[in-house]
Amino acid sequence: MRKPILAGNWKMHKTVAEAVALVTDMRDALLAIPGVEKVFCPPFMAIPDVARLVQGTELGVGAQDLYWEESGAYTGEVSPGMVAEFCNYVIIGHSERREYFGETDETVNRKIKAALAHNLTPIVCVGESLELREAGRTESWVTDQVRAALDGLTAAQVAGLVIAYEPIWAIGTGRAATADEAERVCGAVVRATVASLYDQPTADAVRIQYGGSIKPSNTAELLAKPNIDGGLVGGASLQAADFIQIVQLTAKAKGLE
Ligand code: PGA
């Protein structure tokens, strides 16, 4: 059985002091919820402090990006080794990075390989725009993104990945995909693509999150779906009570408590 995984993508929010306060507020309540992996993805500046706060617990820490080179003259970038000093996860290819920072399927693939070389678990983001959705191109777009992201990876590497399906029109809009829609893309598109590129056991092992306006009021329905193994949570992960509730509802939806 796949272990559900909830990750909070804090984006460009929270100073170090605010990050410490938020994690301190959530830590004990989150640790009391069984069977669900919980990951904080703060801005780089706050990562060392957050990592210290959760050290020795089962709470995970992730970066929101990395660069693929090991070191060198790359002003402003953070290497996979630097991330791995504090983190066990890294979000790769978020739609905001693709849209505002020029990330392509090729850079996403390079970053995934660099992360894996440092034993980081990539949370690989895919998802279609509203325009593509309205043009009926969701399936082909997401399939192509998954194919490109996984290019050159072994089945064992893919089995350990987390893939987040995040329709761009649902991110930060308050308008989540319906549970049926999200389930269809997570299952019949993302997992099916992994099965066709590799094999069924690999597809059965990879964990697939839904992301885009997850909140306590829609968690139970989304997470009850068999192909949705967790969530990548933006706005609601910045509110301690909401994120705790989302994790609790996930545990319940998966029959873990
Ligand atoms: P949201 O963001 O939950 O605020 O919609 C999700 C994401 O971008 O990962």
Side-chain angles (χ1 to χ4, degrees), residues 145-156:
Q145 282 187 323
V146 171
R147 279 178 177 276
L150 305 187
D151 187 48
L153 301 189
T154 66

Side-chain angles (χ1 to χ4, degrees), residues 9 11 94-96 166 170-174 211-214 232-236:
N9 174 13
K11 308 192 180 184
H94 190 280
S95 61
E96 288 149 17
E166 297 204 305
I171 295 177
T173 58
S213 296
I214 295 183
L232 185 54
V233 186

Side-chain angles (χ1 to χ4, degrees), residues 59-89:
L59 300 175
V61 182
Q64 299 173 17
D65 185 30
L66 49 61
Y67 191 54
W68 58 79
E69 293 289 351
E70 293 293 322
S71 65
Y74 302 103
T75 301
E77 293 300 309
V78 177
S79 77
M82 293 170 188
V83 170
E85 206 179 339
F86 297 102
C87 296
N88 25 27
Y89 290 90

Side-chain angles (χ1 to χ4, degrees), residues 130-217:
L130 185 60
E131 202 183 348
L132 288 162
R133 177 187 192 229
E134 286 175 345
R137 291 181 54 204
T138 298
E139 189 160 326
S140 62
W141 181 263
V142 172
T143 301
D144 288 350
Q145 282 187 323
V146 171
R147 279 178 177 276
L150 305 187
D151 187 48
L153 301 189
T154 66
Q157 287 174 321
V158 173
L161 293 182
V162 177
I163 301 178
Y165 167 58
E166 297 204 305
I168 297 169
W169 47 269
I171 295 177
T173 58
R175 181 175 156 230
T178 65
D180 285 341
E181 256 175 310
E183 165 67 10
R184 189 182 67 79
V185 181
C186 290
V189 182
V190 178
R191 202 177 302 284
T193 300
V194 174
S196 80
L197 291 171
Y198 294 87
D199 49 37
Q200 199 55 46
T202 305
D204 288 340
V206 69
R207 290 186 293 175
I208 302 175
Q209 295 176 320
Y210 166 77
S213 296
I214 295 183
K215 47 199 163 191
S217 61

Side-chain angles (χ1 to χ4, degrees), residues 38-55:
K38 310 104 182 162
V39 182
F40 303 123
C41 302
F44 282 121
M45 300 299 288
I47 285 176
D49 284 71
V50 169
R52 264 189 290 277
L53 277 175
V54 304
Q55 201 169 22

